[in-house]
Amino acid sequence: MKKIINNPSDFVEESIQGLVISHPEIYSFANDNQRVIKRTSKAKNKVGIVSGGGSGHLPVFTGYVGKGLLDACAVGSVFASPSVDQIASAIRNGNNGSGVLCVLGNYGGDVMNFEMACEIVKSEGIETRMIIVSDDIASASNEEKLKRRGIAGLIFTFKIAGASSENGASLEEVYNLTLKANNNLRTIGVAVSSCILPEVGKPTFELENDEIEIGMGIHGEPGIKREKLRKADLLVDDLCKIIFEDFELSNSDKVSIMINSLGATPLEELYIVSKKVNEIFSKKNIEIVKSYVGRYATSLEMAGMSISVLKLDDDLKKALFDHSECPFWIN
Amino acid sequence: MKKIINNPSDFVEESIQGLVISHPEIYSFANDNQRVIKRTSKAKNKVGIVSGGGSGHLPVFTGYVGKGLLDACAVGSVFASPSVDQIASAIRNGNNGSGVLCVLGNYGGDVMNFEMACEIVKSEGIETRMIIVSDDIASASNEEKLKRRGIAGLIFTFKIAGASSENGASLEEVYNLTLKANNNLRTIGVAVSSCILPEVGKPTFELENDEIEIGMGIHGEPGIKREKLRKADLLVDDLCKIIFEDFELSNSDKVSIMINSLGATPLEELYIVSKKVNEIFSKKNIEIVKSYVGRYATSLEMAGMSISVLKLDDDLKKALFDHSECPFWIN
Amino acid sequence: MFNKLVMIDVFKNLLSKAKKSYDEFNTADGKIGDGDLGITILNGLEEINNNIDKFKDDLSINFMLCSQAFVKKSGSSFGTLVAFAFMNISKDLKGKNTCDHEDIINIINIAMETIQERGKTKLGDKTILDSLSFILNNLKANKNNVNYSELFKSSTKEALDAFKGKKILIGRARMFEEKTKELDDPGMLALSKLSEVFK
Amino acid sequence: MFNKLVMIDVFKNLLSKAKKSYDEFNTADGKIGDGDLGITILNGLEEINNNIDKFKDDLSINFMLCSQAFVKKSGSSFGTLVAFAFMNISKDLKGKNTCDHEDIINIINIAMETIQERGKTKLGDKTILDSLSFILNNLKANKNNVNYSELFKSSTKEALDAFKGKKILIGRARMFEEKTKELDDPGMLALSKLSEVFK
Ligand SMILES: Nc1ncnc2c1ncn2[C@@H]1O[C@H](COP(=O)(O)OP(=O)(O)O)[C@@H](O)[C@H]1O
Ligand SMILES: Nc1ncnc2c1ncn2[C@@H]1O[C@H](COP(=O)(O)OP(=O)(O)O)[C@@H](O)[C@H]1O
Ligand SMILES: [Mg+2]
Ligand SMILES: [Mg+2]
Ligand SMILES: [Mg+2]
Ligand SMILES: [Mg+2]
């Protein structure tokens, strides 16, 4: 995979500079930190929603800064956590005087750094809560759901938290609704080919020509099993089985689904997957209220995709459909 | 590149079925033709905007069906023109009683089939005009601009035509504004790696590990020259030079740009490109009113990108920013 | 004499030839175009052969089936032109069960007119139109005891030779300018290879 | 005795060792994690060495520089834990120019507390915490004429051996369950390899 880049060491800086210069009406740099992106039109008197994480996953994380989504975001190096400093700055910039909810994926470095940053800003008088998103079924058993990684489902939690805060909910209320979203969220993914870190220059992992890896993480962490590539319908059947085994969904349930490409896998394939997912859910009489199909959380140019399910109640549904403004989310 | 598909021969049908089932509020199948997608909420008393072309380019073509964009679209096989039948059906379905503007890329098969389809529906009393989009600088000299291929710039013409028709313009007026858009439009692209046609199963072309191809078409047609891969900034410099040599832009001009990925090239790289394009234009005092950065016109999982420039006047600018509804265009 | 049985035979042979030449045609097209000429030809001929048991004595019906096959299976220029040509030939042959020499001349004429009209091509652009014009001229020059197989083969070969060193002036190839001088037009090359099956 | 000069020497040696072991650490981490442990360690040590001429006699300052280097260059768990540990060590060593045996015990103690608190790890989870605990025990058991190089090397090796056949209970590795029994924890492996440079 050939990359259209300059110096690998400038990869992150240049790409977020490009983001800000391309959409100045949405994104701005924080004044105090060039690895922090904040909303160009700062919100007032609402709970701030802040995220952060490694680069290489665009639109995750910083692409979701915008009205109705994130207020600020700390940008780490490729696949690496932002530093405590950067996160603390993001929290300060995302704070609108009503406390800040941090929404992040469950990765060791990120969690530790967010915890530390929260301690620091606490001493400055900023109240924070943390939602550690853990939607990846493959990364831990159901009993240990809290240890699961956060992957594409992250975006649902951004949207729910953002909408809830925009509607004037308190920090406690925003926290509770987002927690419910995280509890109602499951993702299972499959990788079919690796990506190449700009600084490393060779694939993170190798898969045989007829191999796929179920449950691979968005950094190329191994998944639960390596299997033979098979027809999309069979694969989707198996993935949905994994979801249903983990997550009881019944007849009258309403859900939103997200079919997410890890990067290279084209939309056509995602829609082939979405067709099958819709058929499977419809057979079970589970209503798909809304499907999101596209590149929402990527791993550079990795090929593969994930299926996310968010079970909705009235509050979550309202928050999902609420207005927002960002180039990567269509209402 | 491993594909998540079923039978290659079902690739197109299944992907558009997935599109319709995933976004039923936007897309519907025509009653008379399963290769024609129309708006779910049919417009009234406005000029119909119809397109069509090969599959494998999503969101192009059929993804741009929606209010303020296309009324209907004929879906060809992968990289192949839809048939005369299919196009004629798309025109009938896109017709709201006020005539139909066909907007298509300049490819032999497409042009011939659209011409034929227009003759057929004429005998049924449907008035049509045709805009053959020709934005690809690499595919013919400036003197032969009309022979150029249509690539990512297509989307701008869809948006302009759709907005203009939505505002109640006559067929003649919609035609004229869209023609102006096509005249004001330039695209130059570069491919860095090939895609694989589902039915062929091997790469359409091969590039050496350090090679890129300037001006490659979205079906893998050779470009104007094969060169060494170089730093993004140098590449963008050269591509912008090609644009400026072809297209006189001056000090006070306002433009919109589109940085488009052919598929695998990730957003991070597009933003690195966008940053440089913004810097170059800003040095020339050309105002970029709006940047679109993403996957707007793809070639399956090909890697590479293109830069499009649309010169704006007040009418074009208004049409560009007008409201529209489709999962692939954010207002 | 050309009739239903000959036509069936020809299309069976064309299909097996197209299978053999699949990669060659794709590769030739890939040098200057999108590399789908082998696909176009093979898909169209396969679809014709899938419908070959619908062939009737009335040649008009058969050419319409051929046209529909190419309409259904091809979206590339070559396939579209062939589809249009077959359609116009079908219209012209209404009610005919056999073709003699003059009819064959007429068929080539119709094909050339269709390509000129639909493809906006001129003679000399280095396309299949030029191959057909070599066939036409030779058909006109030889009226008795014609070995059609030989005539098609040699005419399409002559056409290829005649255009060596000339630029391709239409289609995707046009943009390559000088480079196209050394290359055969893929459509002309395909016609030449496919002609080897005529009886 | 540990002082500024020894510290400079240690970090120079650590860097050259990290360069040599870069692939090995990435590969070990890649088997159960995201394959960045070599990057994390190398980047952090390079950044420390880039700042090594800022080292002062006051060891507290030096450990703070080390902490900042890891904060700046690493976003992975290992790097973050190391950064926190260096920070807490720095706080503890304020004003100190040398470390004796008891100080070194204290340093290891602080590192372990930090990792337990920040990493929410327990002894026995098969992580770097366990390697440190073997070092600590051996430091406590040997007070005179200690060859630190040997002690670190043998302790981290003992730790590796002690955990062969046990599951990794934390981090990305946890999900592999049985598979992790046969594997060394990449962090523990790295500490063992890196220990070979202590003088
Ligand atoms: N407008 C035209 N007029 C005559 N022949 C044409 C025309 N366009 C294409 N051809 C013939 O078809 C061949 C290419 O066919 P094809 O691969 O189907 O084109 P494409 O894929 O570019 O649509 C050319 O080599 C040429 O002989
Ligand atoms: N919470 C933790 N507590 C103690 N040690 C840990 C913890 N997390 C990771 N480690 C150590 O760091 C090593 C992995 O480091 P690293 O590659 O930086 O993790 P990651 O990339 O998953 O963030 C592990 O082998 C383990 O020894
Ligand atoms: Mg072709
Ligand atoms: Mg073609
Ligand atoms: Mg790691
Ligand atoms: Mg890591």
Side-chain angles (χ1 to χ4, degrees):
Chain A
M1 179 66 200
K2 277 169 277 183
K3 294 182 190 291
I4 303 175
I5 59 175
N6 295 302
N7 293 326
S9 55
D10 297 330
F11 181 80
V12 173
E13 263 69 25
E14 292 182 348
S15 63
I16 58 175
Q17 281 162 17
L19 187 79
V20 169
I21 209 170
S22 302
H23 313 290
E25 71 284 7
I26 305 283
Y27 309 109
S28 295
F29 279 108
N31 297 326
D32 57 326
N33 197 313
Q34 291 300 294
R35 284 292 193 101
V36 173
I37 306 287
K38 61 175 184 179
R39 278 175 55 180
T40 296
S41 58
K42 193 174 168 58
K44 280 199 193 94
N45 303 325
K46 74 162 201 78
V47 171
I49 313 295
V50 168
S51 188
S55 288
H57 304 298
L58 278 182
V60 159
F61 293 80
T62 198
Y64 295 105
V65 167
K67 188 167 156 50
L69 288 153
L70 304 177
D71 290 273
C73 185
V75 180
S77 296
V78 177
F79 293 2
S81 173
S83 69
V84 175
D85 275 14
Q86 291 159 354
I87 296 169
S89 159
I91 296 175
R92 285 180 207 112
N93 278 283
N95 178 30
N96 310 301
S98 313
V100 169
L101 181 72
C102 297
V103 186
L104 56 139
N106 190 19
Y107 296 95
D110 295 298
V111 173
M112 287 187 265
N113 286 344
F114 263 93
E115 279 174 353
M116 186 75 141
C118 286
E119 282 173 34
I120 292 173
V121 299
K122 187 175 177 188
S123 69
E124 300 164 15
I126 303 179
E127 197 191 346
T128 59
R129 299 294 299 266
M130 236 162 95
I131 294 283
I132 300 174
V133 179
S134 53
D135 57 320
D136 182 9
I137 297 181
S139 54
S141 68
N142 196 304
E143 294 77 60
E144 293 196 305
K145 184 174 183 325
L146 289 183
K147 295 192 172 170
R148 287 180 175 169
R149 301 177 297 214
I151 50 177
L154 270 165
I155 296 115
F156 279 128
T157 63
F158 294 163
K159 182 65 182 72
I160 300 298
S164 168
S165 72
E166 213 69 56
N167 292 332
S170 69
L171 179 55
E172 187 65 18
E173 290 163 341
V174 178
Y175 172 85
N176 284 331
L177 192 68
T178 312
L179 187 66
K180 180 158 68 179
N182 187 41
N183 289 336
N184 282 2
L185 198 52
R186 298 292 185 285
T187 299
I188 179 79
V190 57
V192 302
S193 80
S194 180
C195 62
I196 297 177
L197 294 182
E199 294 206 56
V200 177
K202 61 178 188 187
T204 308
F205 59 92
E206 301 278 4
L207 284 168
E208 295 298 319
N209 241 333
D210 61 344
E211 259 184 358
I212 60 175
E213 181 135 343
I214 310 272
M216 170 156 295
I218 56 173
H219 310 98
E221 312 94 307
I224 32 181
K225 41 193 171 182
R226 232 162 236 222
E227 300 184 348
K228 291 285 161 207
L229 181 61
R230 47 191 177 276
K231 297 221 159 142
D233 283 357
L234 298 178
L235 178 63
V236 173
D237 254 335
D238 292 344
L239 295 178
C240 285
K241 234 173 256 160
I242 295 177
I243 294 175
F244 291 131
E245 267 164 27
D246 193 80
F247 192 27
E248 224 164 303
L249 286 167
S250 53
N251 228 316
S252 54
D253 280 335
K254 291 185 198 326
V255 302
S256 176
I257 63 167
M258 177 176 287
I259 314 295
N260 174 59
S261 168
L262 291 175
T265 294
L267 269 180
E268 284 80 3
E269 297 178 27
L270 298 184
Y271 279 115
I272 291 173
V273 168
S274 181
K275 168 177 175 286
K276 184 67 184 171
V277 172
N278 269 273
E279 287 166 5
I280 292 171
F281 277 63
S282 145
K283 255 197 211 129
K284 289 193 171 266
N285 266 313
I286 303 162
E287 186 189 345
I288 297 181
V289 175
K290 174 101 183 170
S291 307
Y292 298 89
V293 181
R295 279 122 168 158
Y296 288 93
T298 64
S299 301
L300 297 169
E301 65 285 321
M302 201 185 286
M305 59 90 197
S306 63
I307 303 171
S308 301
V309 181
L310 172 65
K311 184 165 126 182
L312 298 171
D313 62 12
D314 289 346
D315 293 341
L316 290 172
K317 185 173 162 193
K318 183 182 171 312
L320 187 64
F321 284 94
D322 269 347
H323 177 73
S324 67
E325 292 170 16
C326 123
F328 303 105
W329 189 265
I330 306 233
N331 290 104
Chain B
M1 179 63 201
K2 278 169 277 182
K3 293 183 191 292
I4 303 174
I5 59 174
N6 294 301
N7 294 326
S9 54
D10 298 330
F11 181 80
V12 173
E13 264 70 26
E14 292 183 347
S15 63
I16 57 176
Q17 282 163 17
L19 187 80
V20 169
I21 209 171
S22 303
H23 313 292
E25 69 286 6
I26 305 284
Y27 310 108
S28 296
F29 279 108
N31 297 325
D32 58 327
N33 197 313
Q34 291 298 297
R35 284 291 194 103
V36 173
I37 305 286
K38 61 175 185 177
R39 278 174 55 179
T40 296
S41 57
K42 193 174 168 60
K44 284 204 190 85
N45 304 325
K46 76 163 200 79
V47 170
I49 312 296
V50 169
S51 188
S55 289
H57 303 301
L58 279 183
V60 159
F61 295 81
T62 199
Y64 295 105
V65 167
K67 189 167 157 48
L69 287 153
L70 304 178
D71 290 275
C73 185
V75 181
S77 296
V78 177
F79 292 4
S81 171
S83 70
V84 174
D85 277 13
Q86 291 159 354
I87 297 168
S89 159
I91 297 175
R92 286 182 206 110
N93 279 284
N95 178 31
N96 311 301
S98 312
V100 169
L101 182 72
C102 297
V103 186
L104 55 140
N106 190 18
Y107 296 95
D110 295 297
V111 173
M112 289 187 264
N113 286 344
F114 263 92
E115 278 174 354
M116 186 74 138
C118 286
E119 283 172 35
I120 290 173
V121 299
K122 188 176 175 188
S123 68
E124 302 165 12
I126 304 178
E127 198 190 347
T128 61
R129 299 293 302 266
M130 234 162 97
I131 295 283
I132 299 175
V133 178
S134 53
D135 56 319
D136 182 10
I137 297 181
S139 54
S141 68
N142 197 304
E143 294 78 57
E144 292 195 306
K145 182 174 185 325
L146 289 183
K147 294 193 173 169
R148 287 179 175 170
R149 301 178 296 213
I151 50 176
L154 270 164
I155 295 115
F156 278 128
T157 63
F158 294 163
K159 182 65 181 74
I160 301 297
S164 169
S165 71
E166 213 70 55
N167 292 331
S170 69
L171 179 55
E172 187 64 19
E173 289 164 343
V174 178
Y175 173 86
N176 284 331
L177 192 67
T178 313
L179 187 66
K180 180 157 68 179
N182 188 42
N183 289 335
N184 281 4
L185 199 53
R186 298 294 186 283
T187 300
I188 179 79
V190 57
V192 303
S193 80
S194 179
C195 61
I196 298 177
L197 295 183
E199 296 206 53
V200 177
K202 60 179 190 187
T204 307
F205 58 92
E206 300 277 3
L207 284 168
E208 295 296 318
N209 240 333
D210 62 344
E211 259 184 358
I212 58 173
E213 181 135 344
I214 310 270
M216 168 153 299
I218 55 172
H219 310 99
E221 311 94 307
I224 33 181
K225 42 192 171 178
R226 229 161 238 222
E227 299 184 347
K228 291 282 163 213
L229 180 62
R230 47 192 177 279
K231 297 218 159 148
D233 281 358
L234 299 176
L235 178 63
V236 172
D237 253 335
D238 292 344
L239 295 178
C240 286
K241 237 175 249 157
I242 295 177
I243 294 174
F244 292 132
E245 267 163 26
D246 192 80
F247 191 26
E248 226 165 302
L249 286 168
S250 54
N251 228 315
S252 54
D253 280 334
K254 292 186 199 326
V255 301
S256 175
I257 62 166
M258 178 177 286
I259 314 296
N260 176 57
S261 167
L262 291 176
T265 294
L267 269 178
E268 283 81 2
E269 296 178 27
L270 298 183
Y271 279 113
I272 290 173
V273 169
S274 182
K275 167 177 175 285
K276 184 70 184 171
V277 172
N278 270 273
E279 286 166 6
I280 292 171
F281 277 63
S282 144
K283 255 196 209 130
K284 288 193 171 266
N285 266 312
I286 302 163
E287 185 188 345
I288 297 181
V289 174
K290 173 98 184 171
S291 306
Y292 298 88
V293 182
R295 280 124 168 158
Y296 288 94
T298 64
S299 300
L300 297 170
E301 66 284 319
M302 201 185 285
M305 60 89 197
S306 62
I307 303 171
S308 301
V309 182
L310 172 66
K311 185 165 128 180
L312 297 170
D313 61 11
D314 289 345
D315 294 340
L316 289 173
K317 185 173 162 194
K318 181 180 173 314
L320 186 64
F321 284 94
D322 269 348
H323 177 72
S324 67
E325 293 169 14
C326 121
F328 304 105
W329 189 265
I330 306 235
N331 291 104
Chain C
M1 190 148 64
F2 189 75
N3 59 20
K4 170 189 161 184
L5 291 179
V6 177
M7 192 169 177
I8 289 177
D9 198 44
V10 163
F11 275 108
K12 283 190 176 161
N13 289 328
L14 281 172
L15 176 58
S16 73
K17 186 75 195 168
K19 281 181 187 159
K20 282 192 207 111
S21 305
Y22 180 80
D23 281 336
E24 185 183 358
F25 295 169
N26 282 341
T27 307
D29 188 34
K31 286 200 185 126
I32 49 170
D34 57 353
D36 63 356
L37 189 56
I39 305 177
T40 301
I41 292 173
L42 183 61
N43 281 354
L45 289 172
E46 265 179 347
E47 183 67 14
I48 290 176
N49 278 271
N50 288 341
N51 289 284
I52 216 155
D53 47 359
K54 298 192 194 136
F55 273 25
K56 298 273 148 31
D57 286 335
D58 183 346
L59 295 174
S60 164
I61 291 174
N62 303 348
F63 274 103
M64 188 48 81
L65 286 169
C66 291
S67 173
Q68 284 162 352
F70 267 94
V71 161
K72 190 170 161 201
K73 284 294 172 180
S74 161
S76 264
S77 308
F78 184 97
T80 304
L81 289 169
V82 168
F84 286 147
F86 282 156
M87 190 175 66
N88 287 337
I89 292 166
S90 161
K91 283 182 194 159
D92 192 75
L93 292 184
K94 202 142 276 176
K96 276 208 165 195
N97 293 354
T98 60
C99 288
D100 61 15
H101 191 79
E102 286 308 312
D103 292 326
I104 292 177
I105 289 184
N106 193 34
I107 285 177
I108 302 295
N109 244 323
I110 294 173
M112 288 179 63
E113 277 165 18
T114 308
I115 291 171
Q116 274 169 297
E117 189 200 338
R118 289 286 153 201
K120 304 195 183 66
T121 332
K122 296 181 310 297
L123 280 170
D125 284 353
K126 196 171 174 179
T127 71
I128 48 173
L129 181 67
D130 295 299
S131 301
L132 292 175
S133 112
F134 273 78
I135 294 174
L136 187 72
N137 291 339
N138 286 328
L139 283 173
K140 285 183 180 163
N142 301 281
K143 303 236 161 176
N144 298 320
N145 289 330
V146 183
N147 178 333
Y148 287 100
S149 173
E150 275 309 317
L151 188 145
F152 281 104
K153 220 184 327 190
S154 57
S155 308
T156 51
K157 184 79 181 43
E158 276 171 40
L160 276 181
D161 291 340
F163 279 87
K164 290 220 188 294
K166 294 193 184 154
K167 284 190 207 170
I168 303 178
L169 297 176
I170 204 153
R172 297 177 203 270
R174 196 180 25 73
M175 55 190 276
F176 299 105
E177 299 281 350
E178 294 305 313
K179 183 184 159 193
T180 64
K181 284 190 183 173
E182 319 142 24
L183 295 171
D184 290 331
D185 171 69
M188 293 175 71
L189 178 77
L191 289 193
S192 162
K193 292 282 163 183
L194 291 172
S195 291
E196 291 171 9
V197 306
F198 282 101
K199 291 276 155 64
Chain D
M1 191 148 63
F2 190 75
N3 60 20
K4 171 189 162 184
L5 291 179
V6 178
M7 193 170 177
I8 289 178
D9 198 43
V10 164
F11 276 106
K12 282 190 176 159
N13 289 329
L14 282 173
L15 176 58
S16 73
K17 186 74 194 166
K19 281 182 186 157
K20 283 193 207 110
S21 305
Y22 180 78
D23 280 334
E24 185 185 357
F25 295 170
N26 282 342
T27 306
D29 189 34
K31 288 204 185 122
I32 49 167
D34 58 353
D36 63 356
L37 188 58
I39 305 178
T40 301
I41 292 173
L42 183 60
N43 282 356
L45 290 172
E46 264 177 348
E47 183 66 14
I48 289 176
N49 277 271
N50 289 341
N51 289 285
I52 216 154
D53 48 359
K54 297 190 195 138
F55 274 24
K56 298 273 148 34
D57 287 334
D58 183 345
L59 295 174
S60 166
I61 293 175
N62 304 348
F63 275 103
M64 189 49 83
L65 286 168
C66 292
S67 173
Q68 284 162 353
F70 268 94
V71 161
K72 190 170 161 201
K73 284 294 172 180
S74 161
S76 265
S77 307
F78 184 97
T80 304
L81 289 170
V82 169
F84 286 146
F86 281 156
M87 189 176 68
N88 287 337
I89 293 167
S90 161
K91 283 181 192 158
D92 191 77
L93 293 184
K94 202 144 274 173
K96 277 210 163 188
N97 293 356
T98 59
C99 289
D100 59 17
H101 190 81
E102 286 308 313
D103 292 325
I104 291 178
I105 289 182
N106 193 33
I107 285 178
I108 301 296
N109 244 324
I110 294 173
M112 289 179 62
E113 276 164 19
T114 309
I115 291 171
Q116 275 168 296
E117 188 201 339
R118 289 288 152 202
K120 303 193 185 67
T121 331
K122 296 181 308 299
L123 279 172
D125 284 352
K126 194 172 176 179
T127 72
I128 48 173
L129 181 66
D130 295 299
S131 301
L132 292 175
S133 111
F134 273 79
I135 294 175
L136 187 71
N137 291 339
N138 287 327
L139 283 172
K140 284 183 179 164
N142 302 281
K143 304 233 161 178
N144 299 319
N145 289 329
V146 182
N147 178 334
Y148 288 99
S149 174
E150 275 311 314
L151 187 146
F152 281 104
K153 223 185 323 188
S154 59
S155 307
T156 50
K157 184 79 181 41
E158 276 170 41
L160 276 181
D161 291 340
F163 279 87
K164 289 219 191 295
K166 295 195 183 153
K167 285 192 206 169
I168 303 178
L169 297 175
I170 205 155
R172 296 180 204 271
R174 196 181 24 72
M175 56 190 277
F176 298 105
E177 299 282 350
E178 293 305 314
K179 185 183 159 193
T180 63
K181 284 190 183 173
E182 317 141 25
L183 295 170
D184 290 332
D185 171 69
M188 291 175 72
L189 178 78
L191 288 193
S192 163
K193 293 281 161 185
L194 291 172
S195 290
E196 292 172 7
V197 306
F198 282 101
K199 292 273 157 63

